[in-house]
Amino acid sequence: MRRWGEPRIHVTDWDETDGRGVPAVFVHNIFTWGGDDLYGFAAQRPLADRHRLLLVDRRGYGRSPDTARGDFETDADDVVGLLGEPRSGPDGHQGPAHLVGHGNGGVIAMLAAARRPDLVRSLTLIQPSAFTAAAEHPTVAAMLERVAGTAPGHLPESVTAAEFLRASTEGIGLPMPEPTARRLRAVATSMRERPIWEANVPLEPLRSAPWPTLIVCGTWEDAPTLYRTHVGEPLMACAEVLTDALGARLLRVPGFYPHTQHPDAVNAALRQHWGIR
């Protein structure tokens, strides 16, 4: 584990290659942190046998410093800085990294990749919440209309992190995770984040980039009805729109948290994807 940048965000470094593996940077979603085994990327650790995995804790999450309000633009700056960090690749020279993002982290990965495509070797988006890029899709348009004015960042100060976690899980038919101090801190940061549907992701730099893009999406057939309706259907619509817009490859995986519920399938897809470049 190490810290990078200013302020010094935390980055978990999993590497079984003695520094010879091509790096892969992972950017997490809300309510979690890089190495979290519930919503994060703990299940991707086997990939460290051939790659150097760099798991970002975004500001206010995991072991990174607090932030007054999370912002995808600032997080994208942090990711660009990490991608550009001096390092030695397998050939002894600095090279680009594979980039993986989940949910809001997928949007952050897109922003970072669009700013510095030269620092990216491949892009993988796991259910990216890039709603503005798919705003003309009827399902996404209905979701955006429904959440207008009720987004995180606009919540009453009286709402606690524990209450928000319960409403966001049990309230839509999911089990509530253990409200540990680290989990509640992540939830509190998520409550204050700038709404992800304010992100304006430039698609052209991603569409014209020389590296491949993989989009991973769950099928959501076994998700609780409310969760599928309010979250799953907009995310599936985003995945389909982005696949067409970016000329990406779409992988559909059973369930609604592909990389944690079916890590073998996702990890195999990542190995194949990373093997292209």
Side-chain angles (χ1 to χ4, degrees), residues 25-33 39-41 44 58 61 71-73 75-76 79 99-112 123-133 143 190 193-199 201 206 214-218 220 227 231-232 234-236 238-239 242 246 256-260 266:
V25 174
F26 289 75
V27 191
H28 63 81
N29 196 17
I30 60 173
F31 288 15
T32 186
W33 51 91
Y39 301 136
F41 298 107
Q44 280 58 65
R58 297 196 280 126
Y61 294 92
D71 191 300
F72 45 79
E73 298 284 0
D75 289 336
V79 171
L99 183 56
V100 182
H102 169 226
N104 288 14
V107 175
I108 293 161
M110 293 172 74
L111 290 169
L123 179 63
T124 301
L125 306 172
I126 303 174
Q127 297 190 156
S129 45
F131 300 117
T132 54
M143 185 277 294
S190 301
E193 278 193 335
R194 183 180 174 190
I196 198 65
W197 42 84
E198 292 183 3
V201 182
L206 305 179
L214 170 67
I215 297 177
V216 181
C217 187
W220 289 79
Y227 191 35
V231 179
L235 287 176
M236 287 189 286
C238 279
L242 288 175
L246 301 180
F256 44 86
Y257 259 78
H259 60 299
T260 64
V266 173

